[in-house]
Amino acid sequence: MIDDDFRPLPKNNGLEPDDFYYTAEGYIVFTEKYHLKRGHCCKSGCRHCPYGYDKKTDSFRK
């Protein structure tokens, strides 16, 4: 497992520490807080999408 101290994000990225976390595989996962701050759905099937997008059906849950 990689230590978080060795995976810095680029400077001036506008992200706060609670906007994302790292998976065990080292991927960045954006939180619901970040998605709401962003203000719209990107339709990428994000794990914490607050907009209800389902990538499998290409539709929004109501």
Side-chain angles (χ1 to χ4, degrees), residues 42-61:
C42 63
K43 294 187 175 181
S44 294
C46 299
R47 186 177 291 183
H48 300 292
C49 180
Y51 302 105
Y53 181 72
D54 184 340
K55 190 172 183 176
K56 292 178 185 176
T57 62
D58 191 28
S59 63
F60 290 90
R61 292 174 283 158

Side-chain angles (χ1 to χ4, degrees), residues 17-59:
D18 57 346
D19 285 344
F20 68 95
Y21 61 90
Y22 287 102
T23 65
E25 297 81 20
Y27 294 104
I28 293 174
V29 177
F30 293 110
T31 63
E32 181 178 3
K33 175 188 175 281
Y34 171 77
H35 289 291
L36 291 171
K37 184 168 64 170
R38 184 174 184 217
H40 66 279
C41 180
C42 63
K43 294 187 175 181
S44 294
C46 299
R47 186 177 291 183
H48 300 292
C49 180
Y51 302 105
Y53 181 72
D54 184 340
K55 190 172 183 176
K56 292 178 185 176
T57 62
D58 191 28
S59 63

